[in-house]
């Protein structure tokens, strides 16, 4: 029995090895048919691999906050459409490459909602990257300086869901405008983007600055997006 567990571990099947140990400890190894035993072992391995992938995706996402869909208080009076939230929870918007725009005053729960959607995406096996807008601009500048900008754009383009938080705190200048449009252009209809901002969408044109670039950005990110305009305080459920 111990040899079987050891061989499962050596074959990098930790879920099966753990389930085998449980069967030994509960003295069920002799009670199960071959088919039932294999089903238990395979289900355990699949579950373990799903959990491992989820943990990797969460780590790579680099979320600033912890949040979950279960903690969102869906209230139309606060700008949360319960039906829309339910649809987004399925992850179908990510499969379709659609965007989500979240606006509202400081402290009303924009980042929490965006992060909860990001956590849900990780649970569903999608790759996610959380970025504060100002820090993203710094990373883009550094990537241009060290010559890795193409690789950085490519990595962003391949990420299933990108969350850009605190968009619009400062106006974009010069190279920032074209770099940001490049990110959005690469993702248009292919990958999903969540943008959270204190400013209403109507004010985003001025944040971009350059008229041609602003028009292109708004055309790609706004018209086919899902929107939340939040009102009030934090969306975390009161306990």
């Amino acid at each position: 029995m111990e040899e079987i567990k050891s061989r499962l571990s050596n074959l990098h099947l930790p879920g099966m090895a753990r389930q085998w140990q449980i069967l030994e400890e509960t003295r069920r190894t002799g009670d199960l048919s071959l088919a039932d035993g294999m089903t238990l072992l395979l289900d355990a391995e699949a579950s373990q691999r799903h959990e491992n992938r989820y943990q990797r995706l969460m780590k790579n996402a680099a979320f600033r906050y912890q949040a979950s869909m279960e903690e969102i208080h869906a209230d139309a009076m606060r700008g949360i459409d319960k039906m829309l939230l339910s649809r987004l929870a399925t992850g179908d918007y990510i499969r379709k490459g659609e965007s989500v725009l979240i606006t509202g005053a400081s402290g009303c729960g924009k980042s929490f909602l965006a992060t909860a959607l990001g956590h849900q995406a990780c649970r569903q096996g999608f790759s996610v990257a959380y970025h504060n807008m100002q820090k993203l601009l710094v990373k883009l500048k550094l990537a241009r300086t060290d010559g890795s900008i193409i690789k950085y754009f490519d990595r962003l383009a391949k990420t299933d869901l990108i969350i850009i938080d605190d968009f619009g705190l400062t106006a974009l200048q010069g190279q920032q405008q074209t770099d940001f449009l490049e990110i959005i252009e690469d993702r248009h209809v292919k990958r999903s983007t969540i943008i959270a901002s204190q400013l209403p969408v109507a004010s985003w044109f001025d944040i971009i600055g350059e008229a041609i670039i602003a028009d292109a950005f708004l055309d790609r990110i706004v018209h086919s997006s899902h929107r939340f305009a939040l009102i009030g305080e934090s969306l975390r459920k009161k306990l």
Side-chain angles (χ1 to χ4, degrees), residues 54 58 62-68 71 111-112 115-116 119 236:
Y54 170 66
M58 288 289 290
F63 291 114
R64 183 179 177 185
Y65 308 99
Q66 293 296 318
S68 68
E71 294 176 280
S111 298
F112 190 85
T115 301
H119 281 215
R236 188 185 298 271

Side-chain angles (χ1 to χ4, degrees), residues 85-203:
L85 192 65
S86 297
R87 291 200 304 271
L88 295 178
T90 68
D92 195 47
Y93 75 102
I94 302 176
R95 299 180 187 93
K96 294 179 179 178
E98 297 171 344
S99 300
V100 180
L101 311 182
I102 306 172
T103 58
S106 177
C108 69
K110 300 182 301 298
S111 298
F112 190 85
L113 175 55
T115 301
L117 289 170
H119 281 215
Q120 180 74 358
C122 287
R123 288 194 187 99
Q124 295 164 335
F126 295 110
S127 58
V128 182
Y130 172 93
H131 292 282
N132 170 275
M133 183 63 181
Q134 297 306 112
K135 292 182 179 179
L136 175 61
L137 294 176
V138 171
K139 290 178 181 178
L140 290 168
K141 183 177 181 179
L142 292 174
R144 283 201 172 276
T145 300
D146 64 20
S148 63
I149 188 66
I150 300 300
K151 290 183 178 179
Y152 193 64
F153 278 144
D154 187 54
R155 185 162 71 250
L156 291 173
K158 291 179 179 178
T159 303
D160 295 322
L161 172 64
I162 287 180
I163 299 172
I164 300 176
D165 202 1
D166 290 329
F167 173 76
L169 293 183
T170 59
L172 300 181
Q173 303 291 332
Q175 188 65 57
Q176 294 176 342
Q177 298 169 339
T178 53
D179 282 350
F180 191 63
L181 179 60
E182 181 78 17
I183 294 172
I184 300 304
E185 177 69 29
D186 286 345
R187 304 182 63 74
H188 182 51
V189 189
K190 301 174 184 176
R191 298 287 189 272
S192 292
T193 306
I194 295 177
I195 299 180
S197 175
Q198 292 185 30
L199 300 176
V201 174
S203 300

